[in-house]
Amino acid sequence: MRPVIKNSVTTFLALISHNPFLWALVFQALMSAFWSGTPELTLRASAVLLGTHLFIVYLCNQYSWKELAGILRVSNLGVALLSLLLKPPVGEEWAGVLYSKNAFSGLMCLSAILWYLHAVYQPKGRWLSLGMTVLSFAFMKRAKSAGALVTSFILIAFSSYLRYVKRLNFQWAFTAVVLFLVISASLSILITDNLPLIVVDWLGKDLTFTGRTTIWAMIIPLANKRPVFGYGYVGFWQPWRGFDDPAHSVITDNEWRPPNSHNGFIEIYVQLGWIGLILFFLAFVTSLAMAVIYLIRSKKPDSVLPLILITYMFMRNLSESAIIDLSYTWFYYVLSTVRLSLDIAQKNFSDDRTKSQEAASLKPTEPSNRAGP
């Protein structure tokens, strides 16, 4: 029992020391029950959030990056195969087996990237991986999601870009990654919002941010009323409270009440204020730096995976709310951060083959049975 406790304490010290801002953000979500309009709801939701983070710590303690990537690919394959059993409803956008077409298309975007990377770095079963990549793109088309489509192409380009970044030292590599994020985020918004002719015929819909900017203009003045700590975790969007709902005045011209901000960064500002937003960006930059360190030092073929998952989270939250909630987007981001913290704490940068060779070189040589002269 004592070794288990000692190992757990060592693990959490490593996690907190390598990215304290992520855990401070979760702690703030728990503490926000004190200023939330619905403290009991906030406390329950933040406790579930903390439990999810602890479960991710357990997963990362049990599995390597290679194994985690396999789990993610197989789980996405399960969603895709189950969705094949459903027919898209006539005249509606397809959500597969998930609750919305945005969630489904976002997951298929990630599925396409994971299977594409597996095809590139693992020659065995390459055709199956490419087939799953094509299937994921087909599902994105059926869901008619421009954002997911644009994000998938950006991430594929990013994976190729990282081959050259890997050769740089940390300062230049980190700068190159940040520069790519800034440019790709700008291009994503530009293409999705202002260049519909690029893919409009293929997707069969008008490509705009579907009124998101109008929603943001209504939300930000409300958020500015409680700018420091926000309305509390899950304390803003509460339509069941009627006129007491903090978001009661957020309604579009066609009488639609959005369920969230449709932007992760605005969402965290609304719920946790400037303190939460600053903690998030500090945690994000720290995770990004750890991912760059892992990329340039690791000998593993899948060393690009942490940066891909972290960038995916960033890109998705430009038009969706998936920060510090129970979405798969946040789950994968925290998984990346926790696994990176453990790898860097253990200086785990060598692939399995290198480890075997090092172990063989350290193995004592057996004494020879031949008689001496």
Side-chain angles (χ1 to χ4, degrees):
M1 186 64 179
R2 187 174 298 176
V4 174
I5 296 175
K6 182 179 179 181
N7 182 60
S8 299
V9 171
T10 302
T11 297
F12 279 105
L13 287 176
L15 295 177
I16 293 173
S17 64
H18 283 84
N19 198 337
F21 309 109
L22 175 65
W23 299 99
L25 187 62
V26 176
F27 179 75
Q28 187 194 357
L30 282 166
M31 292 298 100
S32 68
F34 288 106
W35 60 84
S36 170
T38 52
E40 185 178 348
L41 174 62
T42 295
L43 186 60
R44 289 202 306 265
S46 56
V48 173
L49 180 71
L50 176 60
T52 303
H53 281 63
L54 294 179
F55 174 68
I56 293 173
V57 172
Y58 168 78
L59 282 180
C60 292
N61 253 326
Q62 298 298 314
Y63 301 105
S64 65
W65 270 116
K66 182 178 180 180
E67 293 167 330
L68 288 172
I71 292 172
L72 298 185
R73 286 195 307 272
V74 170
S75 62
N76 291 340
L77 174 61
V79 172
L81 293 179
L82 287 174
S83 298
L84 281 174
L85 303 177
L86 301 177
K87 292 183 178 180
V90 178
E92 296 182 18
E93 295 162 335
W94 196 39
V97 295
L98 299 187
Y99 58 90
S100 74
K101 69 102 177 178
N102 287 334
F104 180 68
S105 60
L107 188 63
M108 290 300 100
C109 168
L110 184 61
S111 176
I113 300 306
L114 291 175
W115 284 106
Y116 169 78
L117 291 177
H118 192 251
V120 170
Y121 293 106
Q122 299 294 335
K124 185 178 180 180
R126 175 169 291 173
W127 289 108
L128 173 63
S129 299
L130 290 175
M132 286 306 305
T133 304
V134 172
L135 180 64
S136 300
F137 273 108
F139 281 167
M140 272 187 278
K141 181 181 184 300
R142 294 177 76 177
K144 298 182 179 180
S145 174
L149 184 66
V150 172
T151 299
S152 62
F153 286 127
I154 287 175
L155 290 178
I156 287 175
F158 189 44
S159 65
S160 300
Y161 177 75
L162 290 178
R163 295 184 184 182
Y164 301 97
V165 172
K166 188 177 178 67
R167 305 171 186 174
L168 305 175
N169 60 33
F170 172 77
Q171 290 80 3
W172 283 107
F174 185 79
T175 302
V177 168
V178 170
L179 185 62
F180 185 93
L181 285 180
V182 172
I183 294 175
S184 60
S186 303
L187 286 177
S188 177
I189 295 173
L190 178 66
I191 293 173
T192 305
D193 199 31
N194 297 317
L195 297 179
L197 293 179
I198 295 178
V199 290
V200 67
D201 292 334
W202 195 59
L203 287 174
K205 63 177 290 187
D206 182 22
L207 301 183
T208 68
F209 264 21
T210 59
R212 286 182 175 89
T213 53
T214 303
I215 295 171
W216 300 341
M218 290 185 283
I219 295 171
I220 291 177
L222 296 174
N224 289 338
K225 293 180 179 180
R226 303 180 68 171
V228 180
F229 295 106
Y231 287 83
Y233 186 59
V234 302
F236 185 72
W237 303 96
Q238 300 180 338
W240 63 87
R241 296 177 63 189
F243 288 103
D244 291 330
D245 175 19
H248 180 74
S249 61
V250 181
I251 183 170
T252 62
D253 293 337
N254 59 354
E255 302 298 318
W256 178 64
R257 295 185 181 277
N260 55 62
S261 302
H262 289 281
N263 180 284
F265 314 113
I266 294 177
E267 187 69 21
I268 201 169
Y269 174 50
V270 168
Q271 295 190 37
L272 299 177
W274 280 113
I275 299 297
L277 196 59
I278 290 171
L279 286 174
F280 165 76
F281 276 110
L282 289 174
F284 174 75
V285 171
T286 302
S287 299
L288 202 64
M290 289 193 298
V292 172
I293 291 172
Y294 186 80
L295 173 73
I296 61 181
R297 293 185 183 178
S298 176
K299 298 180 176 62
K300 299 178 182 180
D302 54 358
S303 59
V304 301
L305 183 58
L307 272 172
I308 293 294
L309 293 177
I310 292 171
T311 303
Y312 172 80
M313 184 279 297
F314 179 83
M315 298 299 297
R316 287 288 295 167
N317 276 284
L318 294 174
S319 58
E320 299 295 329
S321 297
I323 291 179
I324 199 167
D325 64 5
L326 298 180
S327 68
Y328 59 82
T329 304
W330 182 254
F331 185 94
Y332 293 157
Y333 166 70
V334 176
L335 183 142
S336 302
T337 298
V338 171
R339 185 64 255 183
L340 282 169
S341 298
L342 295 177
D343 283 329
I344 291 176
Q346 300 164 3
K347 298 183 178 179
N348 182 23
F349 300 115
S350 301
D351 61 14
D352 296 334
R353 182 176 58 182
T354 303
K355 288 181 179 179
S356 299
Q357 292 173 348
E358 291 175 351
S361 64
L362 295 174
K363 185 177 179 180
T365 307
E366 296 182 1
S368 175
N369 293 326
R370 292 183 303 172

